[in-house]
Amino acid sequence: MLADTALAVMWVGLTCYALFGGADFGAGVWDLLAGGSRRGLPQRRLIEHSIGPIWEANHVWLIFVIVLLWSAFSPVFAAVMSTLYLPLTLAALGIIARGAAFAFRKASTELWQQRLFGACFALSSLITPFFLGAVAGAVASGRVPPGLAAGNVITSWLNPTSALGGVLAVTTCAHLAAVYLCADAARAGERALASAFARRAVISGLVSGAVAGAGIAVLHADAPELFHGLTHRALPLVVLSVVAGLLGLALLHRSRFVPARPASALAVAAILWAWGAAQYPAMLVGGTTVEQAASDGAVLAACLVVLAVGALLLVPSLWLLYATFQRRAPAAGPGSSPSSEASSD
C-alpha cells in the first residue's frame, strides 16, 4: 500500500513536470520558429514574459521525481541512471545550457549576442524534451533491465520506441506551450498573436495526434507488452486522452482559449497515466515490480510524511506565483527588454 502510494505521488510529480516544464520547453521551441529578429519580436516578447517568472520553478517537479525515485525505489533509480546515463546527461546539459542562455540573453545588449544566446536557448528547448522522451521510451519498451549498467548504453535509447517518445515529447510540449500562450496573448489584448498561436496549437495538436497514431504500429512491433497494456487495461485513459485532445482543438477553433488549457492538459496527463497503467505493476518491464523495488516500509512512510509537510509550503507558493503573473500583461513599446530582439534569422 505504501509503495503504491509513493508511486502515485511520484507520477503526480511527473505529470506536473510534463505539463508545466513541458510547456516551458515548448515555448522555447516556438522561440526557435518565431522567425527573424524583427518579425519574431512580438512572439519572443510574449514568450519571455510568460516563462520569465517560472522557468526555474518548473524544474522543482523534476527534482521531486528524481529524489523520490532514489529514496523510494532505489533499485529502479540505479538501473535507469546507470543504463541511460548518456541521454540523461545530454538532457541535463540541455537544461543547464537553456537556463544559462535565457539569463544571458536578457543581460545582453549586442544583437549578435542576443541571437547567439537565443539560438542556444531555443535549440536546448528542442533537444532536452527529446532526450527525456527517449528515456521514457527506453523504460517503457523494457530495455532497462535490473542491475547496475545491465542494459546496453546505446541501443537502450537508440531504438524505435525511444525515437517515438522523443518526437512525441517535442510535439506535445510545443502544443501545450501554444495553447497556454494563446490565453496569455488574448489577456494582453494581442488578438493577432492569440490567433497566430491558436493556429500553431491546432497544427501541433494534429501533428501530436498523428505521431501518436503512427506510434501504435511502432509499439506493436517494438514494445508488445506496452502495446498490450495500452489497448487493454489502459484503454479508457487512451480514449480519454483522445476525447480531451479533440475537445481542446475545438475550443481553440472557437477562440475559447482559457477552457482549452485544461482540456489540452488533460489530454497529455491522460496519456502519461495510460503509460503508467499499461506498465503497472512493473517498474522495469520484464524485471522488477513495484513491491520488489520499494524501499522498507519505514523509509516509505518517512518519505510520504516529509512530502506532505513540504506540499503545504510548495503548492500554495507555486499557486501564488502562477496566479500573480497570470494577472500581468506583457510590457510593450520601446522600453521593453532588449532580449526581445534575440534569436537568429
Side-chain angles (χ1 to χ4, degrees):
M1 182 63 182
L2 286 176
D4 287 337
T5 303
L7 178 62
V9 171
M10 187 180 73
W11 216 257
V12 169
L14 185 62
T15 303
C16 290
Y17 188 62
L19 297 180
F20 297 115
D24 189 0
F25 289 128
V29 173
W30 293 123
D31 190 293
L32 177 67
L33 301 176
S37 300
R38 188 176 301 275
R39 183 166 60 89
L41 172 61
Q43 299 170 47
R44 294 191 177 96
R45 179 183 295 155
L46 176 68
I47 289 169
E48 182 176 300
H49 168 81
S50 296
I51 72 173
I54 59 172
W55 63 280
E56 283 190 295
N58 290 328
H59 295 308
V60 168
W61 301 112
L62 179 60
I63 297 169
F64 167 80
V65 170
I66 292 174
V67 171
L68 186 55
L69 180 63
W70 174 43
S71 303
F73 306 100
S74 53
V76 176
F77 176 88
V80 171
M81 295 297 171
S82 61
T83 295
L84 300 174
Y85 65 87
L86 287 178
L88 287 169
T89 299
L90 292 171
L93 290 175
I95 291 173
I96 294 169
R98 182 178 186 272
F102 185 75
F104 284 130
R105 184 173 76 169
K106 293 173 68 68
S108 300
T109 56
E110 297 292 333
L111 182 58
W112 70 269
Q113 294 174 334
Q114 295 168 1
R115 287 176 171 174
L116 174 63
F117 291 127
C120 181
F121 163 71
L123 288 173
S124 297
S125 300
L126 179 68
I127 65 174
T128 302
F130 177 84
F131 285 122
L132 291 175
V135 168
V139 175
S141 60
R143 288 182 167 89
V144 181
L148 289 175
N152 190 295
V153 297
I154 302 298
T155 59
S156 59
W157 62 279
L158 285 179
N159 57 75
T161 303
S162 288
L164 171 66
V167 173
L168 191 59
V170 171
T171 57
T172 300
C173 288
H175 174 64
L176 282 174
V179 173
Y180 294 170
L181 288 167
C182 287
D184 287 352
R187 186 175 57 255
E190 299 283 353
R191 293 294 173 184
L193 267 182
S195 298
F197 276 113
R199 289 192 297 271
R200 296 180 181 189
V202 171
I203 292 172
S204 58
L206 292 174
V207 170
S208 297
V211 171
I216 295 175
V218 173
L219 295 180
H220 184 269
D222 192 60
E225 290 189 45
L226 178 62
F227 174 83
H228 182 271
L230 289 173
T231 54
H232 289 78
R233 177 190 299 167
L235 186 59
L237 287 169
V238 174
V239 172
L240 175 62
S241 178
V242 173
V243 172
L246 292 174
L247 175 61
L249 295 180
L251 291 169
L252 288 169
H253 179 70
R254 296 175 60 86
S255 298
R256 301 288 302 279
F257 301 136
V258 173
R261 284 181 165 187
S264 299
L266 178 60
V268 175
I271 202 64
L272 190 62
W273 281 79
W275 166 32
Q279 188 170 313
Y280 184 84
M283 293 196 73
L284 297 176
V285 176
T288 305
T289 65
V290 176
E291 291 297 330
Q292 291 171 340
S295 299
D296 184 78
V299 174
L300 294 175
C303 287
L304 292 173
V305 170
V306 170
L307 290 174
V309 174
L312 295 177
L313 299 174
L314 176 64
V315 174
S317 300
L318 288 176
W319 179 270
L320 178 62
L321 175 66
Y322 293 132
T324 298
F325 284 93
Q326 283 291 295
R327 293 194 293 266
R328 293 179 56 184
S336 60
S337 170
S339 62
S340 58
E341 294 284 349
S343 185
S344 58
D345 286 315

